[in-house]
Amino acid sequence: MDYSKVSKELEDLVTETYKLWDHNRVGFQWRHYTWNHTKRVRAMGMELGRREGGDVKKLEIAGTLHDITKKYDGEILNDADGNRVTSEQGFWLNEKLKPARENIVTRLYDEYDLYDTVHHDSGAVITEKILVDYGFDADFVEAVRSIVFAHLKPINMTSEDFDILYKNIENQILYDADTMDPNVGYTGFFRNIHIHAHFAIQRSGKFELESYVQGLPRFVDSKDSFVENLLTNSAKDVAEKRQERSRSLVSQMNAELENMNINRKYGLLGVIEYFVSETADPDFAYQLNHLKTNRIPDLQKSIADTTLSQSDRNDAEVAVDRVISFTQDLENEYKGLM
Ligand SMILES: [Fe+2]
Ligand SMILES: [Fe+2]
């Protein structure tokens, strides 16, 4: 088997599958979110695999496939009293959204009647069928199926059940990567901005920069519990560093409020406003690339061209340095390196 060819084909299968639905926003997800998240979880899973001595190929394939049935998830179901409807294992249940078009994944989903399952479960079934078709050996298929299945952890599980589900280090690793990505670090911050701005605009027609920035330290603190509950030491180590970096980032942003004029143009406040300039379907990969290749060079050029007082020029220069450093860290998180 040509592994890298197959790996690319599986990636194409996932992106093709995500395009079979026409809806954009559901809950805390939007169209571009799922694929960007998938790429980050895969990269982080592979990096944690190197650090923990896990099987990186299994983590790569499982990372690609782990949310393959995620687009079936609609709004979270509530009962008559307004409480979340949960499965026996404590997972929140979603309304199911049917795809507008079909492919091999949706045909398998129908064939095995997976509509009553949660996406880690349906994803594991689809993963197994697809990998068998590609001719992977039975041990590899079972290992990857099990990683996908374990990427959500039942709320109340006995320690015996835990030991079975997370016996393989790869299962712990993908759980950690998938838990960390939406919550901890700049990737969590990026998601938070886009959730916050979307609902703020829906509610009141506008995004309030100042109050958003003032609320960020509390947002970061609220993620400490995620760090404690990670399963591998390597992930805890990454997550603690991410929390530390996020704390320093949000305190820089709060300090920037002292000089709104300069910092909305040259600083991190300007980056926030750039991020929320797209609220319908923000694309992490696109916005990151835009910061790197357009925004930062444009700001540097503008400092050189504009007549600024000496003190404004100094402030603008250190503001751009903060943006450069933020952008580098964001990119490293994207690559799974931090
Ligand atoms: Fe998932
Ligand atoms: Fe995920």
Side-chain angles (χ1 to χ4, degrees), residues 45 49-50 53-60 140 147 169-170 173:
R50 285 177 208 111
D55 185 317
V56 176
K57 279 190 179 175
K58 290 173 184 166
L59 284 161
E60 180 175 20
F140 189 92
I147 300 172
I169 190 72
E170 293 84 7
I173 286 172

Side-chain angles (χ1 to χ4, degrees), residues 206-267:
K206 58 179 188 295
F207 169 76
E208 301 267 12
L209 178 65
E210 245 182 302
S211 63
Y212 175 69
V213 169
Q214 286 161 351
L216 280 172
R218 233 176 316 123
F219 160 71
V220 176
D221 289 344
S222 76
K223 300 303 181 181
D224 282 341
S225 61
F226 284 90
V227 182
E228 290 153 25
N229 290 315
L230 293 170
L231 304 178
T232 65
N233 288 332
S234 300
K236 278 186 189 162
D237 185 44
V238 171
E240 276 162 16
K241 289 187 175 122
R242 283 187 174 199
Q243 281 292 84
E244 212 174 290
R245 210 159 42 235
S246 295
R247 286 202 167 91
S248 136
L249 177 76
V250 302
S251 85
Q252 285 177 6
M253 287 171 171
N254 276 279
E256 284 199 5
L257 295 174
E258 304 293 320
N259 189 354
M260 295 274 275
N261 269 344
I262 289 289
N263 291 318
R264 284 176 72 181
K265 182 161 169 61
Y266 296 99

Side-chain angles (χ1 to χ4, degrees), residues 168-225:
N168 297 330
I169 190 72
E170 293 84 7
N171 295 22
Q172 300 185 25
I173 286 172
L174 201 80
Y175 169 81
D176 281 349
D178 187 64
T179 303
M180 204 163 12
D181 180 70
N183 295 297
V184 183
Y186 292 4
T187 57
F189 162 68
F190 184 88
R191 174 170 174 268
N192 180 265
I193 283 189
H194 284 297
I195 290 170
H196 179 96
H198 172 74
F199 289 109
I201 288 166
Q202 234 181 24
R203 218 171 29 239
S204 65
K206 58 179 188 295
F207 169 76
E208 301 267 12
L209 178 65
E210 245 182 302
S211 63
Y212 175 69
V213 169
Q214 286 161 351
L216 280 172
R218 233 176 316 123
F219 160 71
V220 176
D221 289 344
S222 76
K223 300 303 181 181
D224 282 341
S225 61

